[in-house]
Amino acid sequence: MKAKVGVYVCECGPNIAGKTDLDEIITYLSEFRGFGDVELVVRKYGFLCSNQGKEYLEKEIRDLGLTHLVVGACSPRDHDSTFKDVCGKTQLNPYLYKIINIREHCTWVIDDMDKATEKAKSYLRAGIARVLYQSELFESPIDVNPDVLVIGGGVAGMEAALALAGENRSVTIVEKNDTLGGRAGKLRGFSFQEFNKPEQVEKLIETILGNPCINVFLDSEVTSVIGFLGNFEIEHVSLESKVITELFCGSIITATGADLYETTEESGFKYSESDDVYNSMEITEMLSSGDEITLRSGKEPETIAIVHCVGREELGYCSGVCCTVMMKTANMIKARYPDIRITQFYRDICLPPSGGQELYAAARSSGVNFVKVQSTGLSGTTVKFKEKNGDEGEQFFDMVLLASALVPSKDTPALSELLGIPVDETGFFQEAHRMTNPSATTTDGVFIVGTSQGPRNISDSMLFARASAGQILTKLLVGEKLVPEVAVTEILEAYCTGCGNCLDVCVYGAIYPDEARGISIVNEAICRGCGNCYGSCPSGALRTKHFTNIQLFREVDEALR
Amino acid sequence: MPKNGSVLIIGAGIVGMKAGLMLAGASKKVHLVEKLPIIGGKVIKNEESFPNMECSTCMVAPVQQEVLQNPNIETYTYSDVESLSGSKGCYEVVIRRKARYISLVNCIGCGMCYDPCPVSIPNMWEENLMDMKAVYVPTAGSLPNVPVIDSSKCLHLNGTQECNLCVESCVFDAIDLNDSDEVVTVEVEAVLIASGSGLFDLSALPNLGYGDLSAVYSPLEFERLFASNGPTQGELTLRGSDISPERIAIIHCAGRSEVGYCSTVCCMYSFKFVRFLLHKLPEARIYDLYLDICVPGKSYQNFFTTLGEGSTTMLFTPSLEDVCVTESDSALRISYPDTSGESRELDVDMVILTAAIVPDSDLPELARIAGVELDKFGFIKRTDEGSGSTETTKAGIFAAGTVTGPGDIQRSVIQGESAAGQIMELMSTIDGEKV
């Protein structure tokens, strides 16, 4: 069929019409013979984006039987989708249309009318050249599975499960330990906020276990993950019986928590197991159990040192929760044992939650001593410190509490590999976008919540969990299909040498090797058409639909003619 | 009232926009109400956002664009919620769309009407650091890119004279000086309040000189001064002159003890300011007068440490209440107690105060209209905050972002996503049963 390209130039009031010679452009393009026997229909219109304009365009496409469409108008940011929608109402495939920005790129930036006219001509020529090489592309919606896998049964994982589970959506929790509750479960309500009642975690566990839409696998680990948003295939294994269970789901929430920084001799914290030195987890467990605070000798301590920022410098980040925990710890000890003398060695007081400042003020007014230091070290239960003003000192205490940093859980690297989601410079899972999309990852459908994403307190971990639930509830709707990206990359088998360059650069994990055939394969349901692989291929085997070499070269050729 | 699948979102900042897009994507009808003539919120006031120093407008513009083009989102700019009645699952909302005098449909944002307007007024969006016309968009790059006319300042509208210059300049017939407020009533199943926060009134700290001494700046003033689309096109010059400061001091925690909490983002934006200053004024000497450095989370401390030795002089003072800024012969003199409590003096050309984040001045009224309780600091209270819930004291009304207390962009977005999830949960239940 002979191509018949419609070229419609929008006047945009005086914005385009007043600053270019539109009649000259129309005459020039109508008489242009550079495209062989392609028939060109070149017309102008007042406001193509107006309702009348859209109707006019729709009628033209139909009545003239256009095979391709070029619209010379504004930025694609403004109206690309407008004209794509117009095509969608006609016989013309939207991928056979192109918008050319002759407003922002020509008339708004060039004062000289002749120059603006010339530039607009070359842009429009380039658009026609490109559109002739574009191909029809079709969206193909796919069925999705609304079910969810939650890895980790701590408070974050449980909260997410509870928010998601319903009659039409089942949730499976896979937990490696033999109980639900995670770290918060051990603290039995020792959270910095008073709203967390001691029995809250137990209640949450009960609710989870009683929910018919939530399946819990304890003592289990996920061993295999394949698939993509909407269609994942999972295998998890019971650590005890070694029984492998298969699971199908549409999304995955990683709620695997964090560990505490382990002190080493190199970091200046030398003590042996028999010393009365405890980390924040140990002391909070002791406090929340209601047990007496005693030294290993059985005696009650007279002096306690709280050493802040343990690991902060080595790790390069502030965990943001330790100060508040230690203020609460000091206050609880003071309330029960007013005679114990407590000294806090701190670098900075960092109290992100709004209640933290009050806990700090309470600690100060209850007689807790605060020493601002530049550095600290430990030898047994003797604290060595350098004060802010440079003075150095050493002081013996009966008991020492370490505010140790939170570090990525040791399962993180293996999970990162398994799920195909990267970790960042701190070793925690990396977000899709740190600020604007923090619970998602670069793999669509895989979410990171709680302390697996970064150090934070219990209520913020649960907040994160609910955020991932929000993403899933709004993305994977029961009974609705998903439309994957259409302009994806494909690999031409004949050219592919299976070198694997493309696998390394694909941030979405959309390419996998087909070892039997010695080539790489793109999973089109995952590919977003970013083009990273396209540039990495040494043999020219890759082709990104809608951005092919010939399309780009013809466009550039014509623009520079 | 039948279930109509509609949601009201108050505030079109990053939180309201993101939550709106999520809900719209799930085929909910979203009524997004914004009191300013533009959407985008506070983030777009910042040239760059920490910790990645990303261009803020570039980060937010695609979201703004998507909101404006989404057929499931009805955006009401320059509008207020006048009343909100009903209960969980069915609220009736009255929205007042203030007269804009310029058609959102016809106007293409060409800006031809600004020049002819004879009235100049201070631009509040630009922290009053520049003037604008009575027909204006708050800032370059506004979305929607459609101006509004300040009816109290416009000569025609306030009855001073028969001025029609803007109308005559418009070739799109977009200006209608007979425009009037429009009152719209909508019914929704759930409400999300994401109307943001304000800054501590620095003039309440007379020892720091804000308001009296022109070279003392609020953080937002400095943000706009630095912004390439701001009043000076990003030239860092002192107020009312074309002289760049050579010595700049940033005083931390302004208002912290007055409000009774740490705002947690100020240290970070202070170090962002240091980067800004080093970038534009490499010869400048910078001082940070601080009590504590609060850089919580995995990526913040690194932002501080990578500033490098000598980039800023960190001056610890044990007592910020005793810091005083006065005028000296040539510039500003800061007196402060040092580590040992001894009084010191520092002469600088510019002082930036990092003000605490406080509830927006409009919040008490909005809370009254919505019938939600505020916490002791004046932010919106959530009933089950301990387990991360965003629901307010009124069932079916949720709150996210800095309207609930200070927080960074990440935490605000997370709250918005959580709220979207809770709203989906609410809307999928009938009489409390999940369907």
Side-chain angles (χ1 to χ4, degrees):
Chain A
M1 190 177 69
K2 202 174 127 186
K4 187 171 184 183
V5 185
V7 183
Y8 292 83
V9 183
C10 179
E11 296 178 8
C12 198
N15 280 283
I16 293 174
K19 294 183 173 173
T20 45
D21 187 343
L22 278 188
D23 292 330
E24 153 75 14
I25 291 175
I26 289 168
T27 313
Y28 166 80
L29 286 177
S30 305
E31 291 168 0
F32 187 74
R33 291 290 163 263
F35 301 114
D37 64 348
V38 169
E39 188 182 346
L40 292 174
V41 179
V42 192
R43 285 172 188 170
K44 63 178 179 179
Y45 192 86
F47 286 102
L48 280 173
C49 64
S50 66
N51 283 335
Q52 299 93 311
K54 286 187 280 189
E55 279 162 24
Y56 162 77
L57 203 54
E58 187 183 331
K59 194 166 177 299
E60 291 276 292
I61 298 170
R62 273 188 220 283
D63 293 356
L64 301 174
L66 298 179
T67 59
H68 300 80
L69 174 69
V70 173
V71 175
C74 51
S75 160
R77 278 215 156 158
D78 279 357
H79 284 299
D80 189 33
S81 60
T82 307
F83 302 122
K84 223 174 198 171
D85 291 347
V86 170
C87 296
K89 290 181 183 168
T90 70
Q91 81 285 355
L92 189 66
N93 184 288
Y95 291 89
L96 296 178
Y97 132 85
K98 177 148 180 71
I99 190 168
I100 299 294
N101 185 355
I102 57 171
R103 191 177 75 182
E104 280 84 340
H105 285 183
C106 302
T107 60
W108 274 5
V109 289
I110 302 173
D111 287 334
D112 183 326
M113 194 183 221
D114 291 341
K115 283 186 181 161
T117 304
E118 283 312 305
K119 191 174 177 190
K121 279 184 195 168
S122 72
Y123 264 46
L124 287 162
R125 259 191 349 248
I128 299 165
R130 186 191 205 281
V131 84
L132 284 167
Y133 281 87
Q134 290 178 191
S135 320
E136 291 187 326
L137 295 175
F138 299 94
E139 294 179 343
S140 50
I142 51 168
D143 287 325
V144 296
N145 183 337
D147 297 346
V148 183
L149 164 69
V150 177
I151 308 176
V155 282
M158 288 194 289
E159 189 64 34
L162 211 53
L164 286 160
E167 206 174 296
N168 292 316
R169 194 189 303 270
S170 73
V171 179
T172 301
I173 299 179
V174 175
E175 163 62 51
K176 69 170 180 180
N177 294 311
D178 57 1
T179 53
L180 290 173
R183 231 166 242 289
K186 294 192 184 132
L187 302 181
R188 286 195 277 175
F190 185 96
S191 142
F192 66 92
Q193 271 156 333
E194 42 221 326
F195 342 91
N196 278 359
K197 316 261 178 326
E199 63 287 355
Q200 190 167 330
V201 180
E202 278 87 344
K203 250 193 201 154
L204 193 53
I205 296 174
E206 239 170 75
T207 318
I208 293 281
L209 295 175
N211 190 320
C213 307
I214 301 176
N215 307 307
V216 178
F217 290 86
L218 297 172
D219 269 327
S220 295
E221 255 175 20
V222 174
T223 49
S224 160
V225 175
I226 51 172
F228 46 87
L229 172 70
N231 292 282
F232 284 105
E233 289 173 46
I234 312 289
E235 277 178 9
H236 55 89
V237 64
S238 161
L239 296 173
E240 210 163 287
S241 67
K242 308 291 174 210
V243 172
I244 293 174
T245 311
E246 207 181 21
L247 168 76
F248 297 91
C249 64
S251 55
I252 301 168
I253 295 176
T254 312
T256 45
D259 288 335
L260 275 187
Y261 176 74
E262 280 177 31
T263 51
T264 56
E265 195 171 324
E266 295 81 61
S267 62
F269 287 88
K270 190 178 143 197
Y271 65 96
S272 54
E273 267 190 29
S274 58
D275 288 329
D276 280 297
V277 179
Y278 304 89
N279 66 31
S280 47
M281 200 66 200
E282 290 161 343
I283 184 67
T284 47
E285 268 183 76
M286 201 188 290
L287 279 168
S288 59
S289 66
D291 292 348
E292 300 285 294
I293 295 182
T294 51
L295 299 170
R296 297 191 203 272
S297 65
K299 280 204 315 196
E300 198 178 283
E302 285 176 18
T303 55
I304 297 179
I306 295 178
V307 181
H308 285 251
C309 294
V310 175
R312 174 176 168 194
E313 205 167 306
E314 292 81 354
L315 295 164
Y317 58 84
C318 156
S319 298
V321 294
C322 337
C323 280
T324 315
V325 168
M326 284 309 173
M327 294 309 155
K328 189 160 182 179
T329 302
N331 293 345
M332 280 176 90
I333 296 174
K334 271 287 184 193
R336 279 164 66 180
Y337 305 92
D339 295 335
I340 294 181
R341 293 192 304 281
I342 302 176
T343 303
Q344 300 210 29
F345 294 93
Y346 75 102
R347 296 182 196 201
D348 296 293
I349 296 295
C350 174
L351 304 158
S354 52
Q357 181 91 3
E358 283 163 279
L359 293 170
Y360 178 37
R364 277 206 180 258
S365 64
S366 71
V368 173
N369 184 28
F370 284 84
V371 180
K372 187 169 173 94
V373 294
Q374 296 178 28
S375 62
T376 48
L378 199 62
S379 177
T381 53
T382 297
V383 178
K384 295 184 273 189
F385 55 92
K386 186 176 179 186
E387 286 190 57
K388 184 69 193 167
N389 62 14
D391 294 351
E392 292 191 38
E394 269 190 31
Q395 201 175 340
F396 172 81
F397 291 88
D398 292 338
M399 182 187 246
V400 176
L401 311 179
L402 302 179
S404 304
L406 287 174
V407 298
S409 125
K410 45 185 178 307
D411 304 332
T412 307
L415 267 171
S416 156
E417 182 92 350
L418 189 66
L419 295 163
I421 53 173
V423 295
D424 64 19
E425 69 283 0
T426 59
F428 288 99
F429 287 123
Q430 188 179 317
E431 313 81 355
H433 187 284
R434 187 155 281 174
M435 283 305 171
T436 61
N437 203 2
S439 66
T441 63
T442 48
T443 302
D444 243 359
V446 179
F447 299 90
I448 44 176
V449 305
T451 49
S452 74
Q453 185 263 1
R456 60 175 44 80
N457 63 38
I458 294 175
S459 62
D460 275 4
S461 292
M462 290 164 99
L463 179 71
F464 245 80
R466 285 173 187 264
S468 69
Q471 292 231 23
I472 293 167
L473 286 171
T474 51
K475 248 186 193 168
L476 290 176
L477 301 169
V478 175
E480 284 193 21
K481 292 178 182 231
L482 276 184
V483 184
E485 172 64 54
V486 172
V488 293
T489 298
E490 56 189 351
I491 293 178
L492 307 175
E493 194 177 334
Y495 294 97
C496 179
T497 61
C499 72
N501 274 2
C502 50
L503 269 76
D504 296 337
V505 298
C506 179
V507 290
Y508 302 106
I511 309 180
Y512 58 94
D514 181 335
E515 271 149 27
R517 287 194 285 167
I519 57 167
S520 301
I521 307 278
V522 178
N523 183 335
E524 294 199 356
I526 305 177
C527 175
R528 309 270 186 85
C530 74
N532 263 1
C533 54
Y534 191 20
S536 79
C537 182
S539 47
L542 280 143
R543 194 173 150 269
T544 301
K545 293 175 188 173
H546 211 54
F547 293 93
T548 61
N549 275 347
I550 186 78
Q551 288 167 2
L552 301 176
F553 292 163
R554 282 298 295 130
E555 185 176 8
V556 175
D557 266 358
E558 211 44 73
L560 301 178
R561 181 196 277 268
Chain B
M1 188 178 77
K3 290 170 75 70
N4 63 4
S6 297
V7 181
L8 169 73
I9 298 180
I10 305 172
I14 184 78
V15 178
M17 292 193 298
K18 294 277 285 184
L21 284 170
M22 286 171 76
L23 291 163
S27 303
K28 304 298 177 197
K29 174 79 193 173
V30 176
H31 298 279
L32 179 61
V33 180
E34 167 59 50
K35 68 178 173 185
L36 294 181
I38 59 172
I39 62 171
K42 289 238 169 44
V43 181
I44 57 170
K45 286 201 175 194
N46 308 342
E47 173 96 344
E48 287 169 347
S49 291
F50 64 76
N52 291 355
M53 296 304 271
E54 244 169 297
C55 160
S56 306
T57 37
C58 313
M59 193 164 84
V60 180
V63 183
Q64 291 169 290
Q65 200 69 255
E66 234 186 294
V67 164
L68 294 175
Q69 285 174 355
N70 194 306
N72 288 339
I73 302 181
E74 177 74 32
T75 307
Y76 305 75
T77 45
Y78 207 42
S79 300
D80 292 317
V81 170
E82 279 202 333
S83 82
L84 208 163
S85 51
S87 59
K88 179 180 174 176
C90 50
Y91 282 103
E92 189 183 274
V93 190
V94 179
I95 302 164
R96 177 174 291 269
R97 262 190 164 138
K98 286 182 275 185
R100 190 174 193 121
Y101 304 98
I102 302 196
S103 162
L104 282 161
V105 178
N106 291 353
C107 174
I108 68 146
C110 67
M112 307 277 264
C113 49
Y114 307 149
D115 272 351
C117 177
V119 183
S120 280
I121 53 176
N123 183 336
M124 277 172 65
W125 200 92
E126 296 287 5
E127 303 298 315
N128 299 326
L129 294 170
M130 66 186 289
D131 284 346
M132 60 183 185
K133 293 301 182 70
V135 52
Y136 69 95
V137 287
T139 184
S142 288
L143 284 172
N145 185 17
V146 172
V148 55
I149 298 180
D150 184 327
S151 59
S152 66
K153 301 288 166 23
C154 165
L155 301 177
H156 184 113
L157 293 169
N158 69 16
T160 311
Q161 65 182 73
E162 259 309 295
C163 173
N164 280 312
L165 292 170
C166 58
V167 180
E168 286 156 17
S169 73
C170 180
V171 293
F172 300 100
D173 278 337
I175 306 184
D176 173 14
L177 295 176
N178 296 316
D179 194 12
S180 57
D181 289 6
E182 183 191 355
V183 176
V184 187
T185 304
V186 296
E187 288 176 345
V188 296
E189 290 184 52
V191 179
L192 170 61
I193 305 177
S195 51
S197 53
L199 274 188
F200 181 76
D201 175 14
L202 291 166
S203 60
L205 300 170
N207 55 320
L208 297 180
Y210 181 79
D212 290 335
L213 306 171
S214 73
V216 179
Y217 286 79
S218 80
L220 275 178
E221 285 173 344
F222 185 74
E223 286 281 5
R224 292 319 296 157
L225 196 61
F226 181 82
S228 51
N229 64 351
T232 58
Q233 275 88 48
E235 286 286 320
L236 287 179
T237 50
L238 288 164
R239 215 186 301 256
S241 80
D242 54 5
I243 301 166
S244 292
E246 288 169 11
R247 302 158 298 175
I248 302 108
I250 302 173
I251 302 180
H252 290 235
C253 292
R256 173 176 165 193
S257 59
E258 284 73 12
V259 297
Y261 51 84
C262 157
S263 297
T264 71
V265 293
C266 334
C267 280
M268 282 302 284
Y269 71 65
S270 301
F271 301 135
K272 179 176 79 173
F273 290 173
V274 173
R275 278 164 202 258
F276 283 172
L277 288 162
L278 289 171
H279 172 63
K280 292 229 167 133
L281 306 171
E283 302 296 315
R285 267 167 298 150
I286 310 168
Y287 306 89
D288 274 81
L289 195 60
Y290 77 104
L291 176 63
D292 293 301
I293 297 303
C294 177
V295 282
K298 62 176 177 177
S299 57
Y300 284 1
Q301 179 164 302
N302 198 37
F303 186 77
F304 171 46
T305 47
T306 52
L307 279 176
E309 275 308 298
S311 53
T312 174
T313 307
M314 298 299 295
L315 300 171
F316 171 73
T317 179
S319 168
L320 282 164
E321 293 80 57
D322 297 323
V323 175
C324 208
V325 183
T326 50
E327 217 156 4
S328 74
D329 303 340
S330 59
L332 298 172
R333 174 156 299 163
I334 304 173
S335 58
Y336 66 97
D338 74 1
T339 314
S340 330
E342 270 172 53
S343 186
R344 303 245 167 208
E345 282 180 347
L346 175 70
D347 284 353
V348 294
D349 307 310
M350 180 187 217
V351 166
I352 308 164
L353 304 175
T354 71
I357 288 177
V358 298
D360 187 69
S361 56
D362 293 344
L363 186 56
E365 175 63 4
L366 180 60
R368 189 192 60 75
I369 291 170
V372 300
E373 284 176 36
L374 301 178
D375 66 18
K376 63 184 162 197
F377 301 116
F379 294 106
I380 295 187
K381 195 173 182 172
R382 278 89 66 238
T383 46
D384 192 15
E385 189 193 356
S387 63
S389 171
T390 58
E391 195 159 26
T392 66
T393 51
K394 192 155 180 184
I397 301 187
F398 302 83
T402 54
V403 78
T404 67
D408 58 7
I409 300 174
Q410 181 187 82
R411 189 165 185 278
S412 297
V413 167
I414 282 291
Q415 282 182 306
E417 292 181 350
S418 305
Q422 287 187 280
I423 289 170
M424 288 298 287
E425 270 187 86
L426 172 77
M427 294 173 89
S428 69
T429 58
I430 294 171
D431 303 328
E433 291 298 312
K434 265 191 185 173
V435 291

